[in-house]
Amino acid sequence: IGLEVTSAPSGDVARQLLESGPCPSILFSDIRMPGGLNGVQLATWAMQHCPELKVLLQTGYAEEDAGRFPVLRKPFTAEELVDAIARVLSPDPA
């Protein structure tokens, strides 16, 4: 896909990165993370900060609620990840 990746060890650090830099094309986050923000909270805040941002969340917990955001269930293959990101970034996600 050709995307540049920036990682963060927690939702709090990810928020700081989003506040201090340009908005990325996509936010790919686990739902459960260390720190004060979980992935759904981070995604909700990020969408307010960067309205054009696309979001894809991941989780290994079947009962996890991703709210309105698309979720990729673990475990997944690299191909499944690339396909999910491509769908989210497409102008008309299916």
Side-chain angles (χ1 to χ4, degrees):
I1 295 179
L3 298 174
E4 183 178 324
V5 176
T6 302
S7 65
S10 70
D12 299 321
V13 173
R15 181 177 171 163
Q16 291 171 358
L17 289 171
L18 288 166
E19 285 177 327
S20 65
C23 293
S25 301
I26 188 169
L27 172 68
F28 179 56
S29 175
D30 208 315
I31 293 177
R32 292 190 183 184
M33 297 185 293
L37 292 176
N38 67 33
V40 175
Q41 292 166 327
L42 174 63
T44 300
W45 175 88
M47 296 274 310
Q48 293 168 352
H49 182 72
C50 302
E52 300 300 315
L53 180 70
K54 305 293 185 180
V55 173
L56 176 61
L57 298 177
Q58 67 176 342
T59 188
Y61 299 93
E63 73 281 357
E64 203 74 67
D65 181 12
R68 64 186 175 111
F69 302 108
V71 64
L72 185 59
R73 302 284 175 186
K74 296 178 192 176
F76 50 82
T77 65
E79 183 177 310
E80 290 169 328
L81 173 59
V82 169
D83 289 346
I85 290 171
R87 275 194 311 275
V88 169
L89 290 176
S90 77
D92 186 27

